[in-house]
Amino acid sequence: ALIQNQQRELAAEKQGRAEVQAELLEATRESQGVVELQQEKLKQEGQSMAAATKARDEASAREEGLRKALRESEAALDSQNSELLTQRISITQASTERASLVISESRFEADLALRASEAAGVEEALRLELEDREGLLKEMRLQEQVSKKELKKLELKVEQL
């Protein structure tokens, strides 16, 4: 009876161990499944993070390219503006020189006309013509002053650039 009792205890103990091992095996399987799910989740998060990093890097590269293109475009525009102002200054200077030549020519013509009228005895006609030319001369001087003012303005703009 003692042996049977010990055999029953041994059998119960074996059965208890088997149950504990089965529970342990089940718990191990469950925890392994949880670990696998977490590993898969971490893998997906890592892939998502890598894709986001790559997209960010590509966007940064595009932004830098656009900034570089903008700087180059601004530099080209500044250069064109400078050339345009230089041309405007040249045109204004040429207009001023032309006005000066026209004034000199008018003075010379007026002087010649005065001498011719004195020689012909038509002093009154010459005086009227001279007044007309002086009026023209005054207009041209005013135009020359306006041209000089415009030239100064353009020179200031060029210096500002």
Side-chain angles (χ1 to χ4, degrees), residues 4-68:
Q4 282 182 342
N5 207 9
Q6 283 180 348
Q7 284 177 345
R8 273 187 258 164
E9 284 179 9
L10 189 58
E13 192 175 308
K14 281 184 181 180
Q15 186 177 355
R17 281 185 185 169
E19 288 174 2
V20 167
Q21 283 180 344
E23 288 177 11
L24 185 58
L25 182 62
E26 181 66 25
T28 303
R29 286 183 187 155
E30 287 177 6
S31 65
Q32 187 176 8
V34 168
V35 168
E36 288 175 359
L37 284 174
Q38 287 178 343
Q39 286 176 340
E40 181 63 29
K41 194 175 189 181
L42 286 173
K43 182 180 174 183
Q44 290 175 353
E45 287 176 1
Q47 290 172 347
S48 295
M49 190 176 287
T53 301
K54 182 180 178 183
R56 184 197 69 218
D57 291 346
E58 289 172 356
S60 294
R62 280 193 308 270
E63 179 183 7
E64 185 57 35
L66 290 172
R67 286 181 190 269
K68 182 180 178 184

